[in-house]
């Protein structure tokens, strides 16, 4: 079966190659293409100098020994929704953005590359490490455990272009760059600027969005530049949930005043987008002291306030305060900033040196509104309706000292030798909620963090690396990298990478990489502890190194270790055609994943150890819930990811009919659990990973995705058409750990269309649609929904699967006005 798939992929590549070559002969010449959707080397990016994946100076993208995809600012702007993560997801087939999250994960969505954890992709800004979010994604799903950089705090107007290295790069950039590296290169303009306003909303209601962003550059004095950017964005709620069976149940209607509740019967609005208001500012500045020495600084600062609906509480929950029931909302007040300062120059005319320091911090204050603490009211006769549930704080301080120089070793071209030092301090803190939010079972929908949850944690990391790039013969590039790191809590790590490329002709080259990686658990994965509740259940997220975790057979986390192999070819049959095809395999040992639901009560199988772990953690759970249990992170599995990346671009000039930049980008990625490492006897008869948890790893993201793009330009008009074809994805679901039901999203084609008109006075007017034909994913398994409804389970509200790769909201339509000066 696997061989058949590979043969089919190869056949498709040859057909597309033949078609592009033919088209090149028919329509070649004239004009340069822009970096269009998913393009690895477009005719315009050909000749562009890259800084990611290499420490050699002046390397052009078409000569890279590693697979690099470039996205310019125009490509990012043409994605419609003014959001950097969505822009990357629409352009890169191997990049999957989270559409919907549970609890606080819905307030900070994340993304992943090549089907791996969000934590396996390193984000850089101007080549410097970006700090991660403090808001860890903890509920089940393919993005569980994500605490990577929050891309929403980087204004799109601030970005010149993005370089995406789709290869393991732990030896070059740090021991967590297993899936790849996203390097965001900022604008360094000393004059001019841009401004645009954008508004839109979903076809079927909700999601109203208004965004304004701008950039301006100026030179405060000779040999200096300052580039300032800002963005303010508002996004409203959406609701794509079904009816809550509790509110339409005849018996409940008879005994409670449900019919009088505003909005009946659509009372449960948990399934949909959060509402948020985001404001962020950015700075990039530089000054040349002399021909050999310069200073630079850049940074961002932003604030986000967001609210998300939680499950509706029935009128009988606390009729003295909410006679018609209530819909609690989780809130977040998030403050994020990062700043980098550095200097670089030359020593003795030979050595390049660079010294830099970067500090980033994210604080998320979690709140609950329109809620209550039922036990507090019953015991004390009062309850607040607004609670402070506590806060997460994550910070990172990174210092780098780098040296590089050219050497005359072997071959006609000079070799590049680089070495450097890095010191990093990570800190993570959970602050307890107010006393009312954590009294007994706590505030409804999101209990405050308890005193046992709260704590401060830190880690020190020191690293040294060396990199040698040689050209033994003119057509051969060999890139060797090695890195040694010492972690204050995990000891030493040694990683290396060998990359090679051979150019048989100017039109054909082969390239390949062998590397290994090492990722220490994030501090959030190690120490996060909280309670997740619904009207029917209460589950404690245990910290892996807590006393409760030991009772269920989990004794902390250890680092992930990985091995990466890749091999690819580069074809440039003519000046306006570029094709790349890369195959890869990533094996991760001791991969950190979230468990399935482990029941202490209310499941088909219950483990006494789970109940003991909850008690050891000091939790008091709501006595009215049907199910109790735990979730926990562990090094539960070894996985293997095998895949193909294909990119093709063609620039065609049709004379009087304008110019078209064609593109095709495809990704095939299969993730397999090759070994289950942990099966604690304490959990019997349950297992640490159930069918749901395994499917989140293997099948919740599509194995295949194809992006087809065409950008037509003639005079002042331009039309951008993109077709994204998503393969099947699936997840197993269960109401109680007994019977499992498979939810599958079939192959779906999503069309995006944008039309622009450039006016003579610097303005450009644009109208467009994402998901033009308003397509929705297939619904949750009908049998599973029927069980939920029969049990009057609020889970029946979620009729569209949250793992949908193209969201659950349908079509989004927008208009934009842009001004360039």
């Amino acid at each position: 079966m696997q061989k058949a798939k590979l043969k089919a992929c190869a056949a498709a590549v040859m057909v597309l190659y033949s078609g592009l070559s033919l088209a090149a002969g028919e329509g070649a010449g004239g004009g340069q293409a822009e970096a269009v959707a998913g393009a690895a080397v477009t005719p315009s990016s050909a000749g562009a100098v890259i800084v990611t994946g290499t420490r050699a100076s002046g390397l052009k993208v078409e000569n890279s020994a590693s697979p690099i995809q470039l996205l310019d600012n125009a490509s990012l702007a043409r994605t419609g929704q003014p959001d950097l993560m969505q822009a990357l997801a629409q352009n890169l087939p191997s990049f999957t953005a989270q559409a919907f999250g549970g609890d606080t994960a819905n307030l900070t969505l994340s993304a992943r590359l090549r089907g791996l954890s969000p934590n396996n992709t390193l984000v850089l800004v101007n080549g410097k490490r970006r700090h991660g979010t403090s808001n860890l994604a903890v509920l089940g799903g393919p993005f569980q455990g994500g605490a990577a950089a929050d891309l929403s705090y980087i204004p799109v107007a601030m970005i010149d272009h993005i370089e995406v290295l789709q290869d393991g790069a732990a030896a070059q950039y740090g021991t967590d760059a297993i899936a790849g590296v996203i390097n965001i290169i900022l604008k360094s303009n000393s004059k001019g600027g841009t401004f645009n306003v954008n508004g839109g909303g979903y076809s079927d209601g909700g999601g109203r969005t208004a965004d304004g962003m701008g950039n301006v550059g100026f030179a405060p004095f000779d040999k200096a530049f300052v580039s300032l950017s800002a963005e303010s964005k508002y996004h409203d709620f959406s609701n794509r949930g079904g009816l809550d069976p509790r509110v339409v149940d005849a018996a409940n209607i008879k005994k409670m005043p449900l019919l009088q509740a505003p909005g009946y019967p659509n009372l449960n609005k948990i399934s949909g987008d959060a509402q948020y208001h985001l404001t962020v500012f950015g700075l990039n500045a530089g000054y040349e002291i002399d021909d050999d020495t310069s200073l630079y600084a850049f940074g961002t600062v932003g604030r986000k306030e967001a609210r998300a609906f939680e499950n509706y509480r029935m009128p009988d929950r606390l009729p003295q305060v909410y006679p018609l029931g209530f819909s609690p909302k989780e809130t977040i007040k998030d403050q994020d900033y990062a700043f980098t300062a550095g200097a670089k120059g030359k020593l003795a005319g030979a050595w390049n040196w660079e010294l830099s320091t970067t500090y980033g911090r994210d604080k998320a204050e979690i709140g609950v509104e329109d809620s209550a603490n039922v036990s507090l009211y019953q015991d004390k006769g009062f309850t607040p309706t607004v609670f402070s549930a506590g806060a997460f704080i994550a910070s990172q301080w990174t210092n780098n000292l780098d040296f590089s120089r050219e050497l005359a070793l072997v071959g006609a071209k000079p070799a590049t030798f680089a070495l450097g030092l890095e010191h990093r301090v990570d800190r993570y803190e959970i602050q307890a909620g107010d006393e009312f939010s954590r009294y007994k079972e706590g505030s409804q929908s999101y209990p405050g963090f308890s005193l046992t949850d709260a704590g401060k944690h830190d880690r020190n990391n020191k690293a040294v690396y060396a990199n040698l790039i040689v050209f033994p013969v003119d057509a051969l590039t060999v890139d060797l990298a090695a890195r040694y790191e010492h972690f204050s809590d995990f000891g030493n790590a040694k990683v290396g990478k060998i990359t090679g490329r051979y150019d048989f002709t100017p039109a054909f080259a082969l390239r390949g990489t062998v590397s290994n990686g090492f990722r220490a658990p994030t501090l959030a994965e190690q120490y996060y502890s909280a309670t997740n509740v619904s009207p029917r259940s209460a589950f404690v997220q245990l910290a892996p190194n807590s006393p409760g975790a030991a009772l269920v057979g989990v004794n902390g986390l250890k680092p992930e270790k990985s091995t990466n192999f890749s091999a690819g070819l580069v074809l440039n049959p003519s000046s306006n055609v570029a094709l790349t095809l890369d195959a890869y395999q990533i094996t991760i040992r001791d991969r950190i994943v979230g468990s399935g639901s482990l029941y202490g009560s209310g499941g088909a199988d219950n483990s006494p150890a789970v109940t003991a772990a909850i008690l050891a953690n000091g939790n008091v759970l709501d006595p009215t819930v049907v199910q109790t249990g735990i979730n926990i992170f562990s090094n539960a599995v070894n996985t293997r990811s095998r895949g193909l990346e294909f990119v093709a671009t063609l620039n065609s000039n049709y004379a009087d009919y304008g110019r078209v930049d064609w593109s095709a980008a495809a990704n095939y990625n299969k993730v397999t659990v090759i070994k289950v490492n942990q099966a604690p006897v304490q959990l019997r008869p349950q297992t640490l990973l159930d069918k749901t948890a395994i499917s989140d790893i293997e099948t919740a993201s599509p194995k295949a995705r194809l992006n087809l793009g065409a950008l037509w330009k003639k005079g002042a008009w331009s039309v951008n058409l993109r077709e994204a074809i998503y393969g099947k994805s699936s997840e197993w679901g269960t109401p109680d750990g007994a019977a499992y039901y498979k939810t599958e999203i079939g192959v779906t084609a999503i069309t995006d269309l944008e039309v622009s008109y450039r006016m003579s006075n610097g303005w450009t007017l644009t109208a467009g649609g994402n998901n033009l034909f308003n397509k929705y994913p297939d619904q949750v398994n009908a049998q599973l929904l029927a069980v939920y409804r029969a049990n009057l389970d609020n889970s029946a509200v979620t009729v569209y699967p949250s793992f949908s790769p193209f969201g659950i909201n349908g079509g989004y339509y927008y208009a934009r006005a842009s001004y360039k000066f």
Side-chain angles (χ1 to χ4, degrees):
M1 186 68 178
Q2 186 70 22
K3 290 182 179 179
K5 289 180 179 178
L6 291 175
K7 288 180 179 179
C9 288
V13 169
M14 292 306 298
V15 169
L16 186 55
Y17 171 75
S18 300
L20 288 170
S21 298
L22 179 61
E26 294 174 347
Q32 292 292 302
E34 295 188 40
V36 292
V41 183
T42 65
S44 73
S45 63
V49 174
I50 59 171
V51 295
T52 311
T54 181
R55 285 193 163 84
S57 60
L59 181 68
K60 297 178 180 179
V61 60
E62 63 266 30
N63 299 324
S64 173
S66 298
I68 296 277
Q69 296 203 40
L70 261 65
L71 295 172
D72 63 9
N73 186 269
S75 299
L76 300 175
R78 283 195 297 267
T79 54
Q81 300 182 54
D83 180 271
L84 179 55
M85 189 171 70
Q86 289 296 327
L88 288 169
Q90 290 181 32
N91 282 285
L92 301 174
S94 62
F95 187 89
T96 305
Q98 185 178 17
F100 174 78
D103 273 350
T104 56
N106 204 28
L107 305 175
T108 307
L109 299 176
S110 58
R112 60 185 191 157
L113 194 63
R114 289 183 168 178
L116 300 180
S117 165
N119 301 326
N120 290 131
T121 300
L122 178 63
V123 176
L124 306 175
V125 177
N126 279 356
K128 307 305 177 187
R129 179 181 288 261
R130 180 78 177 187
H131 66 284
T133 179
S134 62
N135 188 14
L136 179 73
V138 293
L139 294 187
F143 299 90
Q144 190 173 16
D150 187 347
L151 298 179
S152 67
Y153 283 109
I154 303 174
V156 175
M158 188 181 188
I159 299 170
D160 181 80
H161 67 278
I162 298 178
E163 300 176 3
V164 182
L165 171 63
Q166 294 177 294
D167 205 359
Q172 294 165 292
Y173 295 107
T175 51
D176 48 359
I178 292 174
V181 177
I182 297 173
N183 192 4
I184 299 169
I185 308 301
L186 305 179
K187 291 178 179 177
S188 56
N189 50 311
S190 60
K191 61 181 179 179
T194 59
F195 173 76
N196 78 58
V197 291
N198 186 313
Y202 296 125
S203 171
D204 294 330
R208 292 190 305 273
T209 302
D211 180 273
M213 68 175 75
N215 166 269
V216 62
F218 60 93
F221 42 84
D222 189 39
K223 295 185 178 181
F225 75 88
V226 175
S227 181
L228 299 175
S229 304
E231 180 175 4
S232 183
K233 178 180 177 182
Y234 172 81
H235 183 78
D236 205 359
F237 295 112
S238 70
N239 180 23
R240 296 296 181 267
L243 294 179
D244 190 327
R246 299 172 300 155
V247 308
V248 294
D249 177 67
N252 284 338
I253 292 174
K254 187 175 181 179
K255 66 183 180 181
M256 287 180 277
L258 286 164
L259 299 178
Q260 301 174 32
Y264 182 88
N266 300 303
L267 301 180
N268 196 330
K269 303 174 184 178
I270 192 172
S271 187
D273 288 0
Q275 178 194 73
Y276 64 86
H277 185 194
L278 171 73
T279 302
V280 59
F281 300 92
L283 161 75
N284 187 27
Y287 172 58
E288 292 184 11
I289 298 175
D290 53 41
D291 292 341
D292 290 334
T293 312
S294 61
L295 305 176
Y296 61 85
F298 57 88
T300 59
V301 58
R303 179 179 176 84
K304 176 170 64 178
E305 294 191 8
R307 303 153 73 223
F309 280 101
E310 293 303 301
N311 282 298
Y312 172 75
R313 265 56 178 180
M314 299 287 281
D316 62 351
R317 195 69 186 96
L318 194 59
Q320 301 91 331
V321 179
Y322 295 107
L324 299 180
F326 58 105
S327 291
K329 300 178 189 68
E330 288 177 14
T331 67
I332 188 172
K333 293 181 180 179
D334 194 45
Q335 300 178 44
D336 187 284
Y337 64 87
F339 184 77
T340 297
K344 58 184 177 181
K346 283 185 176 292
L347 285 174
W351 284 94
N352 301 302
W353 63 269
E354 183 173 358
L355 177 65
S356 67
T357 184
T358 299
Y359 182 79
R361 185 178 188 266
D362 182 77
K363 180 179 181 180
E365 299 177 12
I366 309 299
V368 191
E369 62 184 30
D370 301 327
S371 184
N373 186 320
V374 177
S375 289
L376 179 65
Y377 186 87
Q378 292 172 344
D379 294 347
K380 306 295 185 180
F382 77 95
T383 176
T385 58
V386 177
F387 300 85
S388 171
F392 305 121
I393 303 174
S395 67
Q396 187 174 86
W397 182 31
T398 307
N399 300 290
N400 292 93
L401 177 60
D402 303 290
F403 298 94
S404 67
R405 66 164 297 167
E406 292 186 343
L407 298 172
L409 294 179
V410 294
K413 300 178 185 178
T416 297
F417 176 67
L419 72 161
L421 303 171
E422 179 174 288
H423 175 248
R424 190 166 74 247
V425 179
D426 290 279
R427 290 190 172 90
Y428 178 71
E429 179 182 355
I430 299 179
Q431 295 179 345
D434 65 51
E435 59 178 322
F436 302 128
S437 72
R438 51 186 167 83
Y439 180 82
K440 290 192 174 179
E441 76 272 15
S443 43
Q444 288 288 303
S445 86
Y446 200 92
F449 304 125
S450 68
L451 298 179
T452 56
D453 295 330
K456 294 182 180 180
H457 315 279
D458 61 75
R459 168 189 297 153
N460 276 274
N461 175 41
K462 302 179 183 70
V464 58
Y465 75 85
N467 190 188
L468 178 64
I469 305 169
V470 295
F471 306 91
V473 295
D474 284 348
L476 178 62
T477 302
V478 179
D479 191 332
L480 308 173
R483 191 179 189 95
Y484 171 84
E485 297 204 23
H486 175 76
F487 293 83
S488 58
D489 49 356
F490 287 108
N492 303 328
K494 301 172 185 176
V495 294
K497 180 177 182 178
I498 303 174
T499 301
R501 170 172 167 150
Y502 190 85
D503 289 82
F504 292 88
T505 70
F508 175 66
L510 293 178
R511 61 190 181 190
T513 297
V514 178
S515 67
N516 69 319
F518 174 102
R519 184 182 78 85
T522 65
L523 293 176
E525 287 173 317
Q526 283 184 277
Y527 296 107
Y528 180 94
S529 177
T531 304
N532 303 306
V533 300
S534 77
R536 285 176 52 89
S537 65
F539 278 76
V540 176
Q541 181 76 36
L542 288 180
N545 58 352
S546 66
L551 294 177
V552 295
V554 176
N555 297 288
L557 296 176
K558 54 186 177 182
E560 298 176 344
K561 297 180 180 179
S562 65
T563 305
N564 295 44
F565 298 94
S566 69
L569 57 88
V570 180
L571 296 171
N572 294 284
S574 68
S575 62
N576 65 327
V577 176
L579 302 97
T580 63
L581 176 66
D582 292 277
Y584 60 86
Q585 176 175 292
I586 307 170
T587 303
I588 300 180
R589 298 171 295 282
D590 297 319
R591 180 168 166 177
I592 300 169
V593 295
S595 69
S597 296
L598 304 172
Y599 296 95
S601 65
D605 295 309
N606 302 302
S607 300
V610 170
T611 301
I614 294 172
L615 294 174
N617 206 52
N619 297 93
V620 178
L621 302 183
D622 189 336
T624 66
V625 298
V626 177
Q627 296 174 336
T628 64
I630 63 169
N631 303 101
I632 192 167
F633 292 111
S634 68
N635 300 95
V637 293
N638 294 357
T639 65
R640 182 184 62 220
S641 302
R642 285 178 172 169
L644 291 170
E645 298 269 8
F646 173 70
V647 178
T649 61
L650 165 68
N651 171 9
S652 297
N653 192 327
Y654 299 101
D656 294 339
Y657 298 100
R659 185 181 87 214
V660 181
D661 299 334
W662 307 92
S663 67
N667 172 252
Y668 173 81
N669 186 70
K670 183 179 181 181
V671 182
T672 305
V673 174
I674 56 178
K675 181 183 178 183
V676 177
N677 300 319
Q678 294 173 300
V681 296
Q682 295 93 328
L683 288 173
R684 292 178 181 172
Q686 300 183 80
T687 58
L688 194 60
L689 299 182
D690 61 5
K691 291 180 71 172
T692 300
I694 294 293
S695 65
D696 284 338
I697 299 170
E698 293 188 332
T699 62
S701 291
K703 285 187 176 67
R705 180 179 166 188
L706 172 65
N707 281 1
L708 301 173
L711 174 64
W712 171 81
K713 285 189 173 185
K714 186 178 188 305
W717 290 93
S718 66
V719 177
N720 189 43
L721 176 66
R722 179 172 51 242
E723 192 76 12
I725 303 170
Y726 297 88
K728 292 181 180 179
S729 53
S730 63
E731 182 184 65
W732 290 92
T734 178
D736 56 9
Y740 284 82
Y741 304 86
K742 186 179 183 180
T743 294
E744 184 172 87
I745 302 174
V747 176
T748 308
I750 300 295
T751 304
D752 297 337
L753 178 65
E754 180 177 285
V755 179
S756 296
Y757 179 75
R758 187 180 68 254
M759 303 172 72
S760 59
N761 58 1
W763 285 93
T764 299
L765 303 180
T766 301
N770 299 138
N771 191 354
L772 187 67
F773 300 110
N774 197 31
K775 292 188 178 181
Y776 283 82
D778 296 324
Q779 293 195 1
V780 170
N781 184 288
Q783 291 177 287
L784 179 58
L785 287 175
V787 173
Y788 286 145
R789 289 164 183 156
N791 293 337
L792 300 185
D793 189 332
N794 53 271
S795 299
V797 173
T798 304
V799 294
Y800 293 111
S802 61
F803 62 87
S804 167
F806 53 89
I808 62 172
N809 286 294
Y812 176 86
Y813 307 113
Y814 61 91
R816 182 174 66 247
S818 308
Y819 180 69
K820 185 175 182 179
F821 59 94

